Amino acid sequence: MMNENYYLQKIENIVSENLRSKLTLCHFKKDEYIVKQGQELKCLYLLVKGRVRVCKTTANGNTLLCNFTSALSVIGEVEFFLNREINCDVICNQDCILYTIDLLKDFQLVKEDPLLMNFLATSMADKLYKSNYNASLSNNYPVINRLAAYLISCNQAGIIQENFMTVSKMIGCSYRQLQRVLQQLCQKQYLLKHENGSYQIINESALKQLGQEIYQL
């Protein structure tokens, strides 16, 4: 495990020194929720290692995949500026390391930090650009492309262990359709299915080519 100084170096250009002393380093496990839709935002989160997925639950109970976010990025900036409840679930796609900033204690320090405020604004603009791209493009692609992009984003060392019933809902297809596409990818020798239900990526370049334009990171 790398020491905290390594992660502090990652954020020294986006958080001023007087605020860095207020940060708390936190570890989250794969599939753990960082924030949940509808909650009050109590912290800002700076993702310094790992990747998360952002999902939205609609009024009819469907959960849709919005995008993926990788380090270095921030979670909660929209809600911070708008003073609203959390808009989406943010879930770890792999083990993640984040810094938290307690907004109940340090809200004013955040507002007065020019480095962090600039990073928050840039982060919002970047996410808006990618969100518009994903909304207009990704759902127009066949399931095989959407699934390939998801598998590339969620694998750990080439191994994929997911609840595929949940995955089918997130990428907008039926579970039966998703299973057919998984079988196709195995037949093409892009994936190898193991007896425990997990999959192994055996042709990463081909899988990336299928999903290269979906869910911009």
Side-chain angles (χ1 to χ4, degrees):
M1 178 66 66
M2 295 178 181
N3 62 40
E4 187 169 352
N5 288 334
Y6 172 81
Y7 297 110
L8 282 172
Q9 290 173 5
K10 284 179 170 288
I11 63 168
E12 62 183 6
N13 292 325
I14 65 171
V15 180
S16 298
E17 186 174 358
N18 64 331
L19 184 56
R20 288 202 294 270
S21 63
K22 305 292 185 179
L23 302 179
T24 301
L25 193 65
C26 297
H27 299 258
F28 289 80
K29 296 293 185 181
K30 182 180 185 294
D31 292 327
E32 189 174 354
Y33 282 75
I34 297 172
V35 296
K36 292 185 177 181
Q37 182 176 329
Q39 289 181 337
E40 177 188 358
L41 181 71
K42 296 181 179 179
C43 296
L44 277 178
Y45 298 85
L46 299 176
L47 179 63
V48 292
K49 182 180 180 182
R51 177 177 294 174
V52 300
R53 62 183 182 269
V54 182
C55 301
K56 175 75 174 178
T57 301
T58 61
N60 61 6
N62 290 330
T63 299
L64 303 176
L65 177 64
C66 299
N67 56 43
F68 297 94
T69 300
S70 301
L72 183 69
S73 60
V74 63
I75 297 166
E77 74 276 30
V78 174
E79 292 82 357
F80 169 78
F81 280 116
L82 296 179
N83 191 28
R84 293 181 181 175
E85 64 183 22
I86 295 165
N87 189 47
C88 295
D89 294 326
V90 180
I91 309 160
C92 296
N93 253 41
Q94 53 194 228
D95 292 350
C96 294
I97 297 177
L98 302 96
Y99 277 108
T100 64
I101 305 173
D102 189 335
L103 294 177
L104 297 178
K105 295 179 179 178
D106 301 313
F107 180 85
Q108 196 61 33
L109 282 177
V110 172
K111 288 186 64 177
E112 294 172 355
D113 188 330
L115 288 180
L116 183 56
M117 293 299 288
N118 180 70
F119 182 70
L120 297 184
T122 302
S123 175
M124 287 181 61
D126 182 63
K127 288 180 181 178
L128 177 61
Y129 176 87
K130 291 175 180 177
S131 178
N132 288 339
Y133 179 96
N134 291 341
S136 64
L137 180 62
S138 62
N139 287 334
N140 293 320
Y141 271 75
V143 172
I144 193 169
N145 298 93
R146 282 179 271 155
L147 180 59
Y150 183 87
L151 297 178
I152 286 296
S153 295
C154 76
N155 82 90
Q156 295 196 76
I159 301 298
I160 302 153
Q161 292 181 306
E162 294 288 313
N163 181 332
F164 286 104
M165 183 68 75
T166 301
V167 173
S168 67
K169 294 177 182 178
M170 286 194 295
I171 68 172
C173 69
S174 69
Y175 179 70
R176 182 176 297 180
Q177 188 178 15
L178 183 142
Q179 289 296 322
R180 286 200 299 267
V181 174
L182 283 171
Q183 187 176 4
Q184 290 175 23
L185 293 173
C186 289
Q187 291 171 347
K188 291 175 179 289
Q189 297 186 334
Y190 295 177
L191 299 176
L192 176 66
K193 185 176 182 180
H194 295 294
E195 291 184 359
N196 64 359
S198 66
Y199 288 82
Q200 180 179 349
I201 297 175
I202 55 178
N203 192 337
E204 185 177 12
S205 62
L207 203 62
K208 281 184 175 179
Q209 188 171 2
L210 274 177
Q212 62 185 350
E213 292 185 319
I214 314 297
Y215 306 128
Q216 281 201 4
L217 301 178

